[in-house]
Amino acid sequence: MAGGAVTLTTAAIAALLTTAPVATAATSSFTAVADTYVQGSTPSTNYGTSTQFVVDNSPVRQSFLKFTVSGLSEAVTSAKLRIRTVSSNSGSNAGGTFKAMTNTTWSESGTTWNNKPAIDGATLGSIGSVAKDTWYEIDVTSLVTGNGTFSIGATSASADGAYYDARESGADAPQLVITTGSGPSPSPTSTSTPPPSGDPVLVGAGDIANSGSGDSATANLLDGISGTVFTAGDNVYDSGTASEFATYYDPTWGRHKARTKPAPGNHDYNTSGATGYYGYFGAGAGPSGRGYYSYDLGSWHVVSLNSEVSMSVGSAQEQWLRSDLAGSSKPCTLAYWHKPRFTSGANHAPDTSTGPLVQALYDNNADVIVTGHNHQYERFAQMNPSGQLDTTRGARHFVAGMGGASHYGFGTILPNSQARNSDTYGVLKFTLHAGSYDWQFVPEAGKTYGDSGTTSCH
């Protein structure tokens, strides 16, 4: 480490590791081992090799899915069935009703209308109107209680059929996402425990929610960490629609919405005006449509900025930032947004257009800058706006794009890059003391990568 920028002894590492919250939940995903549908008008036909399964009432079509769950060593706290509508159909006004089944011996290649198993169990859930090429989720926790084989049947009372990708489709196959742990998982609408009474905690990441399970893994980490949650943009993929926020973000990070202070990213702006983002977060995203705001946590002034609107010298955002920083009486400052000024990631180059924001923060002695955009973790030393080492006034930069979206690799490693990881989802936790801060990379369950340290404010 250079110039005493980081005070990190063996004892400090041990203290950080022993006092960090332990994530007691783990997430496992299982793909269907069988899925098919049957059709009343073709009673002897088997559709087991089809790339789709269908629920419909004209003609009458029923679907069956089977999952085998193994390797669980703890109690199931949550089980979600995730299915994706096909891209070749415009959608339906009714996505179907899904029920448990007692028959788990039916055959994908042998099931027809004439010999179909009974859909005889309790109703697990129903899906309303569906759009094409979109993931949907049904809570099946009441059925999936541990290791074993489970069958689910689906029907519809609508003459407008709903078509879903079958396991033969490959990447869009039905998924069973199971969370295990020592305590109950919060429901998607519940809020976390309030921040602790001591030094405040700020925790989060960017590049978060999509159809995979990475967002579930990082949301599980937040379940065990009190404090304020930040997001560093690209909250949902691919287009920032209201439907994507409801389908991907809300069931995972959305259960911490009440304590979240977000920032937008370029994927959030793939919907014109980022209306999905502003509509979902409401007042939590600051003034609607503007995308930048600030708040205080203990001795810290925290600024959420917007890399998707003008950041140039003299722009509304840059002028607002300078005025906001000048008006703060807090001794320490942290800022976050989406596109990084400095990054060694191979997918997105350092974004020089963010330079005026970095300069304004440097001019006002800011301590920490957090971004995302590249789907990985990287920590830099304290630097000036040109990327040169500056342990006197420089801000420490973090790229925290490991919130759940698929990982990116590294390219040319920039000067002053001190820590990197590109294969572990996680969250970045800051403990904000009166004159210093601790940082800690908290990895997803089952992974061991870690990074932590302490630095004084300017």
Side-chain angles (χ1 to χ4, degrees):
M1 301 297 179
V6 178
T7 304
L8 187 58
T9 65
T10 301
I13 295 173
L16 282 166
L17 292 176
T18 55
T19 59
V22 178
T24 59
T27 301
S28 303
S29 295
F30 301 87
T31 55
V33 296
D35 56 24
T36 189
Y37 72 94
V38 296
Q39 185 166 305
S41 61
T42 52
S44 61
T45 302
N46 170 261
Y47 295 96
T49 60
S50 175
T51 58
Q52 63 189 20
F53 63 92
V54 192
V55 290
D56 199 349
N57 201 41
S58 181
V60 178
R61 289 180 280 197
Q62 300 177 350
S63 288
F64 308 94
L65 301 95
K66 187 190 300 186
F67 295 87
T68 296
V69 177
S70 62
L72 303 183
S73 58
E74 295 184 271
V76 174
T77 54
S78 172
K80 303 293 178 65
L81 171 65
R82 301 187 82 177
I83 54 177
R84 189 180 184 103
T85 48
V86 300
S87 59
S88 57
N89 182 272
S90 60
S92 171
N93 62 4
T97 297
F98 293 76
K99 294 185 177 183
M101 296 170 54
T102 57
N103 186 331
T104 59
T105 61
W106 55 272
S107 165
E108 180 182 77
S109 60
T111 298
T112 67
W113 181 271
N114 286 336
N115 66 8
K116 61 185 173 68
I119 303 177
D120 55 357
T123 297
L124 301 169
S126 296
I127 301 175
S129 61
V130 294
K132 69 177 183 178
D133 202 24
T134 302
W135 284 94
Y136 293 91
E137 189 172 88
I138 302 102
D139 191 327
V140 296
T141 311
S142 60
L143 172 65
V144 183
T145 56
N147 296 317
T149 298
F150 305 92
S151 290
I152 298 169
T155 62
S156 177
S158 172
D160 183 10
Y163 296 75
Y164 298 96
D165 288 308
R167 70 190 191 102
E168 286 79 7
S169 69
D172 292 337
Q175 305 170 5
L176 189 60
V177 181
I178 298 177
T179 303
T180 58
S182 58
S185 293
S187 68
T189 56
S190 68
T191 57
S192 179
T193 53
S197 57
D199 291 332
V201 167
L202 181 66
V203 59
D207 307 279
I208 300 167
N210 61 14
S211 60
S213 59
D215 51 352
S216 296
T218 52
N220 289 340
L221 298 176
L222 296 178
D223 293 344
I225 303 174
S226 298
T228 299
V229 174
F230 74 89
T231 74
D234 281 6
N235 296 271
V236 71
Y237 290 84
D238 285 312
S239 300
T241 64
S243 175
E244 288 172 341
F245 271 99
T247 304
Y248 302 145
Y249 188 95
D250 195 60
T252 56
W253 281 51
R255 59 181 179 256
H256 303 285
K257 180 179 175 181
R259 60 182 179 123
T260 297
K261 300 289 190 180
N266 55 291
H267 278 272
D268 299 309
Y269 270 83
N270 279 345
T271 290
S272 179
T275 55
Y277 167 83
Y278 292 110
Y280 179 79
F281 286 110
S288 181
R290 192 175 77 175
Y292 47 90
Y293 58 96
S294 66
Y295 54 98
D296 293 333
L297 291 175
S299 298
W300 284 71
H301 186 61
V302 183
V303 188
S304 174
L305 297 170
N306 186 353
S307 62
E308 309 314 306
V309 299
S310 178
M311 299 172 282
S312 62
V313 174
S315 66
Q317 181 171 206
E318 191 258 358
Q319 290 182 325
W320 173 89
L321 176 60
R322 287 188 175 277
S323 175
D324 176 80
L325 294 171
S328 171
S329 61
K330 300 297 182 180
C332 308
T333 301
L334 181 151
Y336 56 91
W337 62 85
H338 186 56
K339 292 176 179 174
R341 174 64 187 89
F342 302 106
T343 174
S344 303
N347 291 63
H348 298 298
D351 195 317
T352 56
S353 68
T354 67
L357 303 185
V358 175
Q359 185 67 53
L361 289 160
Y362 182 79
D363 291 346
N364 287 273
N365 298 309
D367 301 281
V368 179
I369 294 173
V370 185
T371 57
H373 203 36
N374 274 323
H375 301 183
Q376 57 207 195
Y377 173 74
E378 186 170 20
R379 170 173 57 83
F380 288 87
Q382 294 166 292
M383 299 184 294
N384 67 20
S386 299
Q388 299 168 325
L389 185 68
D390 183 347
T391 59
T392 302
R393 289 187 56 201
R396 183 180 298 284
H397 291 245
F398 294 85
V399 177
M402 65 287 178
S406 57
H407 298 295
Y408 291 171
F410 288 102
T412 300
I413 305 304
L414 265 59
N416 300 311
S417 174
Q418 295 182 321
R420 294 171 298 278
N421 177 271
S422 61
D423 66 3
T424 303
Y425 296 121
V427 294
L428 181 57
K429 174 188 174 185
F430 295 98
T431 304
L432 305 176
H433 306 301
S436 65
Y437 63 95
D438 305 331
W439 78 83
Q440 181 186 9
F441 179 103
V442 183
E444 62 182 309
K447 292 296 187 75
T448 59
Y449 178 78
D451 180 49
S452 57
T454 301
T455 300
S456 297
C457 298
H458 300 317

